[in-house]
Amino acid sequence: MQSPASSGGEPITKVTARDLSQTITKDVSKIESGTTGNGNAAVGLQYAMRSNEGFFPYSTQSGTRASTSKFKYGSNYWSAIPIAQQPAALQVLLEHHHTNEDLERNQYRTRPYDSHDIAGISWCKNCGKQQRYILKSGANADCVFHPEKLQHPAAEEAEGVYPCCGTTKQGCERLPAHDYSNPSPQIVERWQSFIQTPTKLQSSANGTTKRREAVALDCEMVGVIGGSTEVALLSVVDYLTGEVLVNSLVSPTKPVTSWRTQWSGITMAAMTTAITRGETLNGWRGAREELLRHIDAVTILVGHALHNDLNVLRIIHTQVVDSTILAQKAVDTTRRQWGLKQLCNELLHIDVQPTSRRGHDCVEDTLAAREVVMWCTSNPQDLKRWAVAARETTMEGTEEGKGSRKGGGERSKARRARRKKKAEGAREAVGEGKEASEINTRMES
């Protein structure tokens, strides 16, 4: 939704929070019921209006500083950066964008897939190893394997054996080379459809979109046939202004096997209604095209575990600030990830993603990730203090986990000992029964 325009250069009269909140409530209810008349469904959550006094957010939380104006969406207030401070905020965000190494460590794709990547997913028909792991490990080129499958252990045995050699050791046969199968056509097709973010915006039908310096985004996903995942709802918010640029359902390209309503908030009925009314983006390609009308290769993308969203959109983008990575680097650990709900609770002291059968609010999740990133990049000392406490909690959890695993190992040994004793008892009983039978036979004879 575009900001209201003034005529003749006159200042715009400040709109009351009540008027705008009523407008927002109506628009959001339309989105939830699938009755918006626009597939883009861009709800104007924040009106950056100019007047003689400067910047006016549409709603301001009482008691907040003028430099941290707030607007309300749902049950929470979110930061709106004043126009005069937006260049500085953008510079701070740019200084925190992650290196390619950090992105790759967190499952981001930083370059297009090539022939080596595709060949790497081939499996050896004999030893069952994947080519990329064989090459990465630098192991001997020989293929070592068992020609027969492992036999599951009987009740009294602790481990199974390979019938071909009667052992549980590494393969008993060796070939000078691996025999790789062809890569999965579905995976090859998917990988080849990934693109790098273009250097220029894609054309827009109405010509009203403009390049954004930074956007936050979130996708809700559904499971489709074949075991893969597709985007079913896309929300995109301008990082600096809080304006919602995209909030639209996306029609899946394959039959849906799981709507994941408890998380996605999407039902088959809602999707069917939206498709019938022409209010959805056309598949993941349509969702990607809609996003690319607002960003280019240098736009900073903000989100939480954003690699998942980029994967379903099949976009390769390296200008990223991820709230998950910010938290991990602050705590100096890669052993765990903090969920968006937990970060909002501990850093912002707000509650998001309430337990409900209606699922998550995609716009709220987008705003929440934006707010967490804004807080982390603007409050380094507070982030350090949080990280100290989080590190201690993580270490305590690790020690407890070690104790649990140790206890689990001891319990497993105890279970095996009991099974062995039971089996020995069964054999003894069988032996005693056989001996008694023989005695009875002799006595009868």
Side-chain angles (χ1 to χ4, degrees):
M1 183 181 294
Q2 300 299 314
S3 302
S6 60
S7 59
E10 294 296 324
I12 296 176
T13 302
K14 184 176 179 181
V15 182
T16 67
R18 178 182 178 185
D19 294 336
L20 289 174
S21 65
Q22 289 176 347
T23 302
I24 297 303
T25 301
K26 292 178 181 178
D27 286 340
V28 171
S29 65
K30 288 180 181 180
I31 290 174
E32 290 179 346
S33 61
T35 58
T36 55
N38 187 328
N40 184 34
V43 183
L45 293 180
Q46 187 267 352
Y47 291 76
M49 295 178 289
R50 299 177 183 273
S51 74
N52 291 333
E53 297 181 17
F55 174 86
F56 287 104
Y58 77 78
S59 179
T60 303
Q61 183 182 19
S62 60
T64 58
R65 296 172 297 175
S67 60
T68 55
S69 300
K70 299 283 185 175
F71 63 87
K72 188 175 183 181
Y73 177 83
S75 58
N76 294 307
Y77 288 87
W78 311 98
S79 297
I81 304 173
I83 294 173
Q85 297 180 18
Q86 289 178 7
L90 183 64
Q91 181 60 35
V92 170
L93 186 65
L94 183 61
E95 290 171 358
H96 285 82
H97 92 276
H98 310 300
T99 64
N100 282 4
E101 290 76 11
D102 282 335
L103 294 177
E104 290 169 359
R105 194 179 299 116
N106 286 274
Q107 304 176 51
Y108 280 82
R109 190 70 195 174
T110 59
R111 59 174 180 80
Y113 291 95
D114 57 25
S115 57
H116 295 289
D117 296 316
I118 294 174
I121 62 175
S122 300
W123 297 85
C124 177
K125 299 176 183 177
N126 295 318
C127 67
K129 295 180 180 179
Q130 222 172 12
Q131 183 175 348
R132 57 179 172 175
Y133 294 118
I134 294 172
L135 298 177
K136 185 177 180 180
S137 64
N140 193 299
D142 289 355
C143 177
V144 180
F145 64 100
H146 289 284
E148 296 187 39
K149 293 183 179 181
L150 179 70
Q151 292 294 322
H152 295 290
E156 69 271 13
E157 295 176 337
E159 296 181 350
V161 297
Y162 290 94
C164 50
C165 59
T167 69
T168 61
K169 298 180 180 179
Q170 193 175 5
C172 57
E173 291 195 13
R174 181 183 297 269
L175 293 176
H178 294 272
D179 182 13
Y180 294 109
S181 62
N182 292 325
S184 166
Q186 291 80 10
I187 296 178
V188 173
E189 182 276 328
R190 185 176 184 277
W191 283 9
Q192 290 178 338
S193 64
F194 274 70
I195 64 169
Q196 291 179 298
T197 311
T199 55
K200 294 182 180 180
L201 292 184
Q202 291 197 357
S203 60
S204 174
N206 55 24
T208 59
T209 59
K210 67 176 183 179
R211 176 189 174 275
R212 305 290 171 152
E213 298 288 349
V215 302
L217 70 92
D218 183 59
C219 295
E220 297 297 343
M221 307 159 197
V222 295
V224 296
I225 193 168
S228 58
T229 298
E230 284 200 18
V231 56
L233 178 59
L234 171 67
S235 291
V236 184
V237 173
D238 187 296
Y239 178 82
L240 298 175
T241 68
E243 177 189 0
V244 175
L245 307 174
V246 183
N247 187 33
S248 179
L249 289 169
V250 181
S251 57
T253 62
K254 296 180 180 179
V256 175
T257 57
S258 174
W259 290 98
R260 305 176 184 175
T261 305
Q262 65 269 39
W263 299 289
S264 68
I266 302 169
T267 63
M268 182 173 66
M271 181 66 74
T272 301
T273 299
I275 292 174
T276 302
R277 295 174 176 174
E279 297 171 354
T280 62
L281 298 172
N282 187 19
W284 62 266
R285 292 184 186 274
R288 183 171 72 183
E289 290 173 2
E290 186 64 31
L291 174 62
L292 294 179
R293 292 193 177 103
H294 302 279
I295 71 169
D296 60 16
V298 296
T299 300
I300 303 174
L301 297 187
V302 172
H304 183 83
L306 196 57
H307 63 281
N308 295 315
D309 308 283
L310 295 180
N311 281 343
V312 293
L313 295 171
R314 306 189 191 186
I315 293 178
I316 300 171
H317 193 93
T318 56
Q319 292 287 95
V320 171
V321 181
D322 190 322
S323 55
T324 300
I325 301 178
L326 289 178
Q328 283 186 335
K329 290 180 73 67
V331 181
D332 192 22
T333 182
T334 57
R335 293 182 177 180
R336 64 164 292 184
Q337 289 187 347
W338 282 262
L340 182 60
K341 183 179 180 69
Q342 183 178 3
L343 290 178
C344 285
N345 182 266
E346 296 182 5
L347 303 181
L348 310 178
H349 307 294
I350 63 174
D351 185 35
V352 298
Q353 300 176 347
T355 303
S356 170
R357 292 183 179 181
R358 296 181 60 187
H360 298 175
D361 183 325
C362 197
V363 172
E364 183 183 60
D365 284 356
T366 308
L367 290 170
R370 167 183 178 267
E371 196 77 14
V372 170
V373 167
M374 199 175 292
W375 187 93
C376 290
T377 56
S378 303
N379 301 278
Q381 296 305 317
D382 291 336
L383 179 61
K384 287 181 180 179
R385 282 190 284 271
W386 171 82
V388 170
R391 191 178 303 115
E392 292 176 355
T393 303
T394 301
M395 291 177 64
E396 291 174 359
T398 301
E399 292 301 321
E400 291 177 0
K402 288 181 179 178
S404 175
R405 287 192 294 273
K406 183 178 180 181
E410 292 174 350
R411 287 191 294 271
S412 296
K413 290 180 180 178
R415 284 194 297 269
R416 286 197 296 271
R418 287 195 298 270
R419 287 198 300 266
K420 185 176 181 181
K421 186 176 181 179
K422 184 177 180 180
E424 290 174 350
R427 284 197 297 269
E428 290 175 359
V430 171
E432 291 173 356
K434 183 178 180 181
E435 183 179 354
S437 177
E438 291 175 350
I439 293 174
N440 290 334
T441 301
R442 287 198 296 270
M443 290 177 65
E444 289 174 357
S445 61

